[in-house]
Amino acid sequence: MYLRCNRRLKDGKEHRYWNIVESKRCAGGKVVQRQVLYLGEINDSQHQSWYRVIEAFDEQSQQRTQLALFPAQKELPAHAAGYAVQVRLEAMELNRPRQFGACWLACHLYEQLGLEQFWKDRLPDSREGTCWQHVLQTLVCYRLIDPGSEWRLHRLWYEQSAMGDLLGEDFALVEKNALYRCLDKVLEHKQALLSHLTECWQDLFGAKFDVLLYDLTSTYFESSRPDDENDKRRYGYSRDKRSDCVQVVIALVVTPDGFPLAYEVLAGNTSDRTTLKDFLTKIETQYGKVQRIWVMDRGVPTEKILTEMRQGDPPVYYLVGTPKARLSKLEQQLLTVPWQAVRCGVEVKLLAQEQELYVLAKSIDRVNKERSMRQRQLRALLKRLKELDGMKFTKSQALLLKLGAAKGKYRAAWRLLDIVLPQAKKRGDKVAFSFRLNRQKLREVRRREGRYLLRTNLTGREPAQLWQFYIQLVEIEAAFKNLKDDLQLRPIYHQLQHRIEAHIFVAFMAYCLQVTLKARLRPVAAGLTPRAVLDKFATMQMLDVKFPTTDGRTLMLSRYTEPDTDHKLLLEQLKLTLPPQPPPRITAGGQRVH
């Protein structure tokens, strides 16, 4: 690596811009120069040897001082006496490469949501000098950028990131016990934060809260069931297919644009049907009684709660999916109702009953998708059954185990077949089975593919609007997917209940940062995901550039790498400006630079 100077004439004056470049030898003997670090302009205004007057922090005097840099092999000019420093360029070192871009972007989103000011008033520094708000900011940004355990943050990630540079902190910030003690302090401010975020969504993005999406999910633990009966970790229906692990249930309310309004952590054995009433009361208490439309999937509300919502004063409006059994009951009545086209590829049938309206919706795209999925699974199951039929089994148990495995893998297609299981035979005889396609069941399935029966007390709304409300449930499904997969909410290793809930609270705040970035991307590139942007900015590194001087000191410049074309495009579209490079530092003779 070496220093390279680029000259440019501007307004009749020559400017020099310095870069650290690396020569890389490629195929065919070709040498390509890769720009490693951009140092900026080094101006030779007095026609002397090149130098640049900079402001550096003198660690001996603990003050900022003006320095003029000269190469070691050049004599010092008289006019630079007193502040000239001769730098040994050949001994230049590059140290501590660390991730800068994504950390800076996460901190910017954190500040944009006003979280820095919010926590400043609620998390004062400890008597030992621990800045709890910076500890929490590090935990949230870590969960957004590269999620993992608190132990990994302490042991590995913090040193490989520029969070310390951005927050003006050293390694003491992520002392292991400090990370866990910070979790003990944040949960009491949850309701205040939810109200603060609601105001932010309105101020920043004009969010509306007249339509709310409600759903639940579960997340599991790598631990056994606790002895405390009041602990929320319980065995229950696992949406993660981990029925062997204890879990908690998370209920979430978001807007159709994905802005989270509230969430709650419930016991792992909580039934979905028992949660809605408490959440309705919670939202009305916190945000007042106004006309809201609650959109839910089937299985969440009970008949009793729907009746209470209809008969309330004022009534609470809802749009909910219904089980397939209800479609069977209403099928004969719906047959006489004509289809109405509400949008390209979507048709509906409307059936009014008492105070409710049933909407049978059919989406051509969904029909094709579900039909393709069913055909693919049915072909795979038939192929497997033919393979088993060609095998020689002398024991029925071995065949039944393989049939059970096939049923578990192709459960939906299994229902379309009539299978005659093997009967007990004499020892040594071949065990056989038979199967055939049940065409009556197949016809019923084909009639219902891509069709949804919705139920609502919004009797005056257009069918197209009702359909649009319901398909927006994908937003809450995406929220759960991001929390579990992208932000790695699961599994949870904490053992104390308040830290379990604080862990989810930190993940929720990280999700809010992700939602903010997504909302900023929506007007410029709706298909560009927050994760893709974070991954792109993560390639921007920060380095410590050390220059030994002839008087025994060391000049150190912490510099982030010059943004490439992709970064510049994103910065321009998101209307972001990178911060100035950190000021240089110079050590006293014999001192070590950290």
Side-chain angles (χ1 to χ4, degrees):
M1 293 186 183
Y2 60 92
L3 281 169
R4 184 179 68 185
C5 178
N6 296 319
R7 292 178 173 83
R8 180 185 177 191
L9 285 175
K10 183 178 180 182
D11 298 329
K13 184 179 179 181
E14 184 183 62
H15 296 263
R16 299 180 183 180
Y17 301 92
W18 293 86
N19 301 272
I20 297 173
V21 298
E22 177 187 21
S23 294
K24 300 181 76 71
R25 188 168 296 277
C26 304
K30 183 179 179 181
V31 177
V32 177
Q33 293 179 341
R34 182 178 73 92
Q35 179 172 299
V36 177
L37 196 65
Y38 174 71
L39 297 180
E41 184 179 4
I42 299 177
N43 199 8
D44 187 4
S45 60
Q46 298 186 8
H47 305 286
Q48 299 288 338
S49 299
W50 67 267
Y51 74 96
R52 180 184 175 195
V53 177
I54 62 172
E55 186 182 69
F57 183 79
D58 191 333
E59 296 189 358
Q60 184 177 20
S61 63
Q62 293 293 300
Q63 294 179 349
R64 295 188 179 278
T65 182
Q66 293 288 326
L67 299 178
L69 304 184
F70 292 87
Q73 63 271 21
K74 299 289 185 179
E75 293 185 5
L76 295 178
H79 63 79
Y83 60 90
V85 174
Q86 289 181 296
V87 178
R88 295 166 51 204
L89 296 178
E90 73 282 356
M92 178 192 69
E93 296 180 2
L94 299 177
N95 301 102
R96 269 197 74 209
R98 52 201 183 274
Q99 193 275 110
F100 168 79
C103 292
W104 167 76
L105 180 57
C107 289
H108 174 80
L109 296 170
Y110 193 90
E111 184 177 351
Q112 185 180 16
L113 281 182
L115 297 180
E116 187 174 354
Q117 187 61 42
F118 177 87
W119 289 111
K120 181 180 180 180
D121 301 333
R122 292 169 174 81
L123 291 180
D125 297 352
S126 69
R127 287 178 295 179
E128 294 81 12
T130 302
C131 184
W132 294 117
Q133 60 169 324
H134 284 171
V135 177
L136 178 60
Q137 184 172 349
T138 302
L139 283 166
V140 173
C141 293
Y142 168 60
R143 179 62 49 183
L144 174 69
I145 299 167
D146 186 18
S149 66
E150 284 79 5
W151 172 246
R152 176 174 172 266
L153 167 61
H154 158 78
R155 181 180 58 85
L156 183 66
W157 187 82
Y158 184 78
E159 280 290 281
Q160 297 178 353
S161 76
M163 287 300 298
D165 302 86
L166 292 165
L167 299 177
E169 297 280 359
D170 56 21
F171 188 76
L173 183 73
V174 291
E175 190 270 328
K176 178 171 64 69
N177 292 330
L179 296 175
Y180 293 111
R181 280 161 40 214
C182 181
L183 294 177
D184 301 337
K185 299 176 179 294
V186 299
L187 202 58
E188 60 186 282
H189 305 292
K190 172 185 167 183
Q191 294 305 321
L193 180 69
L194 293 175
S195 298
H196 169 80
L197 289 171
T198 302
E199 295 176 3
C200 287
W201 305 138
Q202 289 176 318
D203 295 341
L204 293 173
F205 307 109
K208 297 180 180 180
F209 306 104
D210 52 346
V211 179
L212 300 180
L213 314 178
Y214 177 72
D215 205 354
L216 302 98
T217 191
S218 59
T219 185
Y220 63 91
F221 298 80
E222 293 288 354
S223 62
S224 56
R225 179 175 177 174
D227 297 329
D228 186 2
E229 289 298 323
N230 296 321
D231 199 293
K232 293 182 179 179
R233 284 173 290 175
R234 289 287 181 268
Y235 292 104
Y237 169 66
S238 175
R239 296 161 176 85
D240 302 316
K241 311 301 181 185
R242 290 300 304 269
S243 56
D244 58 316
C245 297
V246 290
Q247 64 179 20
V248 293
V249 170
I250 301 174
L252 180 65
V253 175
V254 304
T255 70
D257 290 324
F259 298 114
L261 189 64
Y263 83 95
E264 200 64 52
V265 180
L266 309 169
N269 58 355
T270 302
S271 171
D272 292 359
R273 292 176 173 269
T274 63
T275 63
L276 181 58
K277 185 174 181 179
D278 291 339
F279 240 97
L280 290 172
T281 304
K282 176 184 176 66
I283 294 297
E284 289 179 353
T285 302
Q286 188 165 358
Y287 302 106
K289 288 188 176 183
V290 296
Q291 283 193 354
R292 297 188 181 92
I293 303 170
W294 288 77
V295 184
M296 301 160 284
D297 212 344
R298 62 178 183 270
V300 173
T302 61
E303 285 295 330
K304 181 180 179 181
I305 191 66
L306 290 178
T307 301
E308 292 177 1
M309 293 172 74
R310 288 194 300 270
Q311 297 175 354
D313 185 22
V316 180
Y317 295 107
Y318 59 82
L319 175 66
V320 60
T322 60
K324 293 183 178 180
R326 186 170 292 271
L327 177 58
S328 299
K329 293 179 181 179
L330 300 174
E331 193 167 20
Q332 293 301 318
Q333 300 178 56
L334 287 168
L335 286 174
T336 61
V337 179
W339 289 103
Q340 303 178 33
V342 297
R343 53 179 291 188
C344 182
V346 178
E347 297 178 324
V348 299
K349 289 185 177 185
L350 304 180
L351 179 64
Q353 285 200 347
E354 298 179 354
Q355 295 177 307
E356 289 185 305
L357 179 69
Y358 286 91
V359 182
L360 178 62
K362 178 177 68 173
S363 169
I364 300 301
D365 291 339
R366 191 67 189 180
V367 168
N368 295 334
K369 180 178 180 179
E370 291 187 7
R371 188 159 294 170
S372 176
M373 292 168 58
R374 187 253 308 157
Q375 290 173 346
R376 185 165 57 249
Q377 191 174 106
L378 186 58
R379 281 196 297 266
L381 176 59
L382 291 174
K383 179 181 178 182
R384 179 56 179 163
L385 293 178
K386 289 178 181 178
E387 290 175 353
L388 295 179
D389 188 45
M391 297 180 184
K392 294 182 179 180
F393 293 95
T394 57
K395 293 183 179 179
S396 61
Q397 183 179 8
L399 175 59
L400 291 175
L401 287 173
K402 292 188 179 294
L403 288 174
K407 179 181 178 181
K409 188 174 182 180
Y410 309 108
R411 191 171 298 275
W414 184 273
R415 302 189 187 102
L416 303 178
L417 299 180
D418 293 330
I419 298 181
V420 180
L421 297 178
Q423 301 294 325
K425 292 188 176 184
K426 295 181 180 179
R427 187 171 182 177
D429 292 347
K430 180 182 176 182
V431 179
F433 72 102
S434 62
F435 60 91
R436 65 182 181 85
L437 182 65
N438 188 319
R439 299 190 177 277
Q440 178 62 30
K441 289 183 179 179
L442 179 61
R443 281 191 290 269
E444 293 176 1
V445 168
R446 284 178 60 87
R447 281 202 307 268
R448 296 181 180 180
E449 284 174 338
R451 291 165 173 81
Y452 301 93
L453 183 63
L454 310 180
R455 181 181 182 184
T456 181
N457 59 344
L458 287 163
T459 55
R461 297 294 181 112
E462 291 292 328
Q465 190 178 33
L466 298 176
W467 166 255
Q468 188 65 33
F469 285 161
Y470 187 72
I471 63 173
Q472 286 171 336
L473 274 175
V474 298
E475 285 295 335
I476 202 166
E477 294 170 359
F480 287 143
K481 185 177 186 300
N482 288 333
L483 279 168
K484 290 184 174 184
D485 299 336
D486 198 21
L487 302 178
Q488 293 185 18
L489 176 65
R490 59 184 181 184
I492 302 176
Y493 296 95
H494 294 284
Q495 300 299 314
L496 301 178
Q497 180 166 308
H498 67 278
R499 286 186 180 170
I500 291 169
E501 296 197 39
H503 170 87
I504 297 173
F505 189 35
V506 169
F508 175 79
M509 284 190 282
Y511 174 66
C512 290
L513 300 189
Q514 190 182 70
V515 167
T516 303
L517 180 56
K518 182 179 180 181
R520 295 192 63 171
L521 289 170
R522 192 177 293 125
V524 296
L528 188 59
T529 65
R531 178 53 55 194
V533 174
L534 288 167
D535 289 344
K536 174 55 65 176
F537 274 100
T539 60
M540 290 185 65
Q541 298 287 299
M542 176 171 274
L543 297 164
D544 292 338
V545 187
K546 295 182 179 179
F547 294 98
T549 64
T550 55
D551 58 3
R553 294 185 291 175
T554 301
L555 177 68
M556 186 175 78
L557 298 88
S558 295
R559 290 291 183 267
Y560 57 78
T561 53
E562 177 74 1
D564 60 21
T565 304
D566 296 345
H567 298 138
K568 291 177 181 177
L569 284 172
L570 288 171
L571 291 169
E572 180 182 357
Q573 293 297 324
L574 294 174
K575 295 180 174 57
L576 298 175
T577 303
L578 289 171
Q581 298 280 11
R585 288 183 292 157
I586 190 165
T587 64
Q591 287 188 351
R592 184 180 178 184
V593 178
H594 297 279

